[in-house]
Amino acid sequence: MIGSVQRAMRLLEAVADHGYGAPAKQLAREVGLALPTAYHLLRTLTHEGYLRREKGLFFLGEAAERLSGSATQQKRRGMVNDALAQWRDSIGAPVYYAVYREGEIEVLGVADSPGIPAAEEWADFRETGHAHALGQCLLSQLDEEARRDHLDRYPVRPITPYTLRDNRSLLRRLEYLEHAEPVVERQEYALGTACAAVPLTTGATAAAVAISLPSHQADRLLPTARRLQSEIDRLTGTLAISISI
């Protein structure tokens, strides 16, 4: 073990315990360091941005706060990935998680396995939201202006024989989707694949979770999507999935 690193980390932990700051003498006493050693480490940590000093008191600096924010984000991502894996195992299908953020469709997580592989992204998900269930589910949660803005940038274009043909057809479909109901597409994005997506209502950001199945199992699609929806309702409260990750 590198002793100086251990001592510096103990000082950081001690500073973190004092929301209103603490002087060097108190910090040295709490971590059991000689005052000159504590001063040297505190100056180094301040120089590197992990601490800041105000009126003789030490506080956590921007670098430490960035680490804390990153750790929180990683924890949230881990919670999401764990939930996706749990849903995959429970329903026996690949599970996808996506949000609509800053005008773009972002797929943030996929849980599959060798026995239940995910659909291949052969056409950019961001540009083909009109064709896959995730995209249609996300677009259905936007207001009319946001939808039209998206379609101005990514107009509907057929990518399989089953894809909707134009913007008007997509907008008409979105208008008739019922709130909180699964969105289903069969071979619109990829031949041989059927997908269903359900909205994820935690937070203000448009979000959705989806599944995919081989098209010859399409009769399983809606029942499996409804089972996924019940799993989501059961777990989101306890896992507190953050949509803003």
Side-chain angles (χ1 to χ4, degrees):
M1 298 295 102
I2 300 176
S4 60
V5 175
Q6 292 177 314
R7 291 188 287 271
M9 296 303 295
R10 289 203 298 271
L11 281 171
L12 278 174
E13 292 169 353
V15 173
D17 288 337
H18 295 280
Y20 297 97
K25 288 183 179 180
Q26 181 179 355
L27 295 168
R29 182 172 62 253
E30 289 179 357
V31 300
L33 292 177
L35 187 57
T37 301
Y39 269 127
H40 175 72
L41 292 171
L42 290 168
R43 283 197 299 269
T44 302
L45 290 168
T46 301
H47 179 268
E48 296 298 326
Y50 291 96
L51 297 178
R52 58 185 173 86
R53 187 178 184 184
E54 294 181 9
K55 299 179 180 180
L57 301 179
F58 289 92
F59 301 82
L60 291 179
E62 291 185 2
E65 291 170 356
R66 286 196 300 272
L67 285 177
S68 176
S70 297
T72 299
Q73 187 178 61
Q74 289 176 359
K75 182 178 180 180
R76 289 172 177 171
R77 288 188 182 277
M79 292 171 66
V80 170
N81 290 335
D82 288 346
L84 295 180
Q86 185 167 343
W87 294 332
R88 174 203 62 203
D89 295 341
S90 175
I91 66 177
V95 182
Y96 313 77
Y97 167 59
V99 300
Y100 193 86
R101 187 159 51 196
E102 297 181 356
E104 300 292 346
I105 294 170
E106 298 183 31
V107 178
L108 299 181
V110 179
D112 66 349
S113 68
I116 45 174
E120 181 183 356
E121 185 182 353
W122 73 275
D124 193 324
F125 275 142
R126 295 171 300 175
E127 299 178 5
T128 57
H130 60 280
H132 50 76
L134 266 177
Q136 293 179 24
C137 189
L138 292 172
L139 293 173
S140 73
Q141 298 175 57
L142 306 180
D143 59 32
E144 183 177 352
E145 181 180 355
R147 286 180 195 169
R148 293 191 180 278
D149 172 73
H150 181 89
L151 293 176
D152 285 343
R153 292 178 289 114
Y154 302 118
V156 172
R157 57 184 177 88
I159 57 175
T160 79
Y162 303 93
T163 310
L164 293 172
R165 315 313 286 180
D166 52 47
N167 289 4
R168 181 179 300 179
S169 299
L170 175 66
L171 291 171
R172 189 180 304 118
R173 174 184 289 186
L174 296 179
E175 287 176 4
Y176 286 101
L177 289 176
E178 295 186 22
H179 177 69
E181 283 295 299
V183 178
V184 174
E185 62 88 0
R186 295 175 174 84
Q187 303 191 84
E188 294 180 40
Y189 175 76
L191 294 177
T193 300
C195 298
V198 295
L200 193 58
T201 56
T202 305
T205 302
V209 179
I211 59 171
S212 64
L213 291 171
S215 56
H216 68 270
Q217 298 181 21
D219 59 328
R220 288 183 52 212
L221 192 62
L222 194 54
T224 305
R226 294 197 184 284
R227 184 175 175 187
L228 171 65
Q229 201 162 24
S230 67
E231 292 286 329
I232 291 172
D233 292 340
R234 183 174 65 85
L235 289 177
T236 49
T238 56
L239 293 177
I241 292 178
S242 171
I243 303 304
S244 60
I245 58 175

